[in-house]
Amino acid sequence: MRIRLIGSVLEALALLAISPAMQAQTSAKTGPGAATAIPDLSGSWEGHRQVPVTAETALCGIRVVCNGLLGVTGPPMGELAEEPEMQPWAAEKYKAARVGRGPNDFGRQDLDPTFAGCMPQGPTDLMLDQARIFELRQFPDEVLLLFDQDHLVRRIYMDGRGHPDGYLSTWMGHSIGKYEGDTLVVDTVGLNDKTRIDRAGHPHSDALHLVERIRRLN
């Protein structure tokens, strides 16, 4: 059975797919003061495939490989029909990243520190990268996202804390979260400006304030 997840990055929805069976994760407490059941989002996730999942296509692995082998053309990687509004400096950086690139190509790798300098991808880039797989693990006080890329770990604190003052900018930033019904809401600040929003090459500054809303579709 395939289960799907939808996540909102900067209030834009990105569709992903999940492969393992899910088990309910709820509190064993009952009666007054019992903890509210939380949605079970645990599992291994990957970029949503456009091709049907069969015994044949499962051998292909990730979406980029499957689509290439089966001749399926995915949505454009860049040059969207409606580009997000960007500040002048960001528009110039994005324009430079798209020079010589087709609509289904990554942004110029020589201008991307994650390629040219072998630096980590940022959280949005990892979540939207169709060639990446990650595992989501839920605990009472935190949620962990474990990525196949360089064994990167993203930690989301769920214990009610806020963002610390003077937090140094890092590749993953500082993330806090809470559950709103069936949705995990993640708030992240403290990101450095060395990563991109996505593989297409959209840039961001270190003032980026990221809000994601993650829930299961079925």
Side-chain angles (χ1 to χ4, degrees):
M1 177 179 68
R2 302 293 292 183
I3 302 174
R4 294 179 179 176
L5 168 83
I6 191 165
S8 176
V9 179
L10 299 176
E11 303 303 333
L13 297 180
L15 187 65
L16 301 95
I18 185 169
S19 57
M22 309 289 285
Q23 296 183 357
Q25 183 174 348
T26 60
S27 171
K29 296 181 181 180
T30 59
T36 303
I38 63 175
D40 187 352
L41 306 174
S42 59
S44 296
W45 302 78
E46 63 181 317
H48 178 61
R49 308 187 202 198
Q50 291 192 330
V51 298
V53 179
T54 66
E56 177 187 11
T57 61
L59 296 177
C60 301
I62 56 180
R63 170 184 169 180
V64 173
V65 178
C66 275
N67 287 348
L69 291 178
L70 300 178
V72 177
T73 301
M77 182 78 66
E79 302 174 12
L80 303 176
E82 184 177 350
E83 287 288 351
E85 184 177 353
M86 290 180 274
Q87 296 182 18
W89 69 265
E92 285 299 316
K93 291 189 70 172
Y94 178 65
K95 181 179 179 180
R98 300 308 305 172
V99 171
R101 312 302 292 167
N104 292 301
D105 295 334
F106 290 167
R108 282 180 51 185
Q109 296 182 4
D110 60 317
L111 299 179
D112 184 354
T114 64
F115 280 104
C118 295
M119 298 298 180
Q121 291 176 248
T124 57
D125 195 5
L126 282 166
M127 297 286 279
L128 296 175
D129 191 341
Q130 299 165 0
R132 297 269 66 86
I133 298 174
F134 67 93
E135 180 180 357
L136 190 152
R137 294 185 181 181
Q138 292 170 276
F139 302 95
D141 58 346
E142 66 181 7
V143 171
L144 297 179
L145 301 182
L146 311 177
F147 295 91
D148 66 325
Q149 172 73 356
D150 295 333
H151 304 290
L152 296 172
V153 177
R154 187 178 175 198
R155 190 181 306 273
I156 303 167
Y157 296 103
M158 305 292 293
D159 55 6
R161 73 180 68 186
H163 295 301
D165 294 331
Y167 187 80
L168 297 177
S169 297
T170 62
W171 299 96
M172 290 294 178
H174 185 272
S175 296
I176 56 178
K178 62 182 179 180
Y179 294 106
E180 294 183 355
D182 64 351
T183 301
L184 170 62
V185 182
V186 184
D187 189 290
T188 302
V189 299
L191 293 156
N192 66 34
D193 60 359
K194 298 178 174 61
T195 64
R196 293 173 169 178
I197 294 290
D198 53 27
R199 294 286 80 191
H202 292 96
H204 66 82
S205 72
D206 59 5
L208 176 64
H209 186 167
L210 173 66
V211 176
E212 300 157 281
R213 304 183 65 87
I214 303 171
R215 65 181 177 89
R216 285 172 51 180
L217 288 182
N218 53 43

